[in-house]
Amino acid sequence: QVTLRESGPALVKPTQTLTLTCNVSGFSLSTGAASVSWIRQPPGKALEWLARIDWDDAKYYSTSLKTRLSISRDTSKNQVVLTMTKMDPLDTATFYCALELSTGRFDPWGQGTLVTVSS
Amino acid sequence: IVMTQSPDSLAVSLGERATINCKSSQSVLHRFNNKNYLAWYQQKPGQPPKLLIYWASTRESGVPDRFSGSGSGTDFTLTINSLQAEDVAIYHCQQYYSTPLYTFGQGTKLEIK
């Protein structure tokens, strides 16, 4: 069974950099042909895709946020890390990581981690 | 590609049919394989989204057959027949035509009348 779990700070201050980690179990990022994406959801709002890293280390970013995002992976730890700079209160959201075994289909998702941006 | 769902919310009686619509700002039908790059997700309160349907009409393994997807090009529908109490959720459509610049609809909240 493949599971993903996000971890990171629950609270960050405006202008700070957010670092989130996605731990993947039941699937090897070093040997499996899959991608991991980060998706966020502000309270009561729509899902927004942020970034993706592929099995060959190719990286893709949301057009509107690409200057603030960085995605990387540590295959030895089976983890994917997302950093987001210059955090703003409008970035308050639940951040999810999700596995993409087949193009465009996110399954499964992690439980999500709520990040609040406030001074 | 902008995805727009309608309605934003709806209330349906148990055992009745629920219909949710999703419209894309451009076609998500790929001519080379004649597939619509459209997925539906169910998100129950306090849970992450769960994949229900992909290729616009293919049910994910384990999804009850009361859930069905239809449509092509720019207009799509998720239908839930014989609504059950456990179907209360927010439903999201998502296009993956412009891979990897995926976009989601704003979500439709389904409640019991």
Side-chain angles (χ1 to χ4, degrees):
Chain A
Q1 182 188 2
V2 180
T3 60
L4 294 84
R5 188 180 78 250
E6 306 87 349
S7 59
L11 179 67
V12 297
K13 289 180 167 45
T15 75
Q16 286 186 336
T17 294
L18 171 69
T19 299
L20 295 173
T21 300
C22 176
N23 285 281
V24 181
S25 301
F27 184 89
S28 172
L29 295 178
S30 60
T31 60
S35 305
V36 174
S37 279
W38 284 94
I39 298 155
R40 71 177 178 178
Q41 185 176 34
K45 295 191 176 181
L47 297 162
E48 179 183 19
W49 176 82
L50 300 175
R52 184 182 102 179
I53 189 163
D54 290 353
W55 63 274
D56 59 356
D57 212 39
K59 300 166 186 177
Y60 305 92
Y61 299 99
S62 160
T63 303
S64 60
L65 293 169
K66 60 183 177 182
T67 60
R68 299 174 53 202
L69 295 172
S70 178
I71 192 170
S72 62
R73 63 179 187 161
D74 185 334
T75 54
S76 66
K77 296 180 180 179
N78 226 33
Q79 290 178 342
V80 173
V81 175
L82 179 77
T83 61
M84 189 171 187
T85 62
K86 301 175 184 176
M87 293 294 285
D88 180 272
L90 290 176
D91 294 315
T92 293
T94 297
F95 287 75
Y96 297 98
C97 58
L99 192 67
E100 193 180 336
L101 286 169
S102 300
T103 299
R105 307 205 300 259
F106 300 116
D107 180 43
W109 298 55
Q111 280 298 308
T113 186
L114 175 61
V115 179
T116 301
V117 185
S118 174
S119 55
Chain B
I1 299 175
V2 177
M3 308 300 290
T4 303
Q5 292 180 228
S6 62
D8 289 334
S9 65
L10 78 161
V12 176
S13 301
L14 289 172
E16 297 299 306
R17 176 182 299 169
T19 301
I20 298 169
N21 301 300
C22 176
K23 189 175 184 67
S24 57
S25 61
Q26 67 183 72
S27 177
V28 298
L29 173 64
H30 254 298
R31 297 296 180 188
F32 83 94
N33 61 3
N34 202 37
K35 286 182 180 291
N36 288 283
Y37 283 55
L38 189 285
W40 288 97
Y41 296 84
Q42 176 192 62
Q43 185 177 25
K44 295 183 178 181
Q47 295 185 20
K50 172 191 168 186
L51 177 65
L52 287 179
I53 287 170
Y54 55 94
W55 298 136
S57 61
T58 301
R59 267 190 306 277
E60 175 73 335
S61 175
V63 173
D65 61 6
R66 64 178 181 275
F67 291 90
S68 63
S70 62
S72 185
T74 61
D75 293 280
F76 301 90
T77 300
L78 174 69
T79 301
I80 309 170
N81 288 310
S82 301
L83 189 73
Q84 307 291 306
E86 67 208 51
D87 300 333
V88 168
I90 298 174
Y91 292 85
H92 309 269
C93 62
Q94 173 229 336
Q95 66 79 20
Y96 47 103
Y97 181 91
S98 61
T99 298
L101 301 181
Y102 310 116
T103 48
F104 294 84
Q106 80 275 21
T108 294
K109 187 175 184 179
L110 175 60
E111 298 174 314
I112 304 296
K113 186 186 294 183

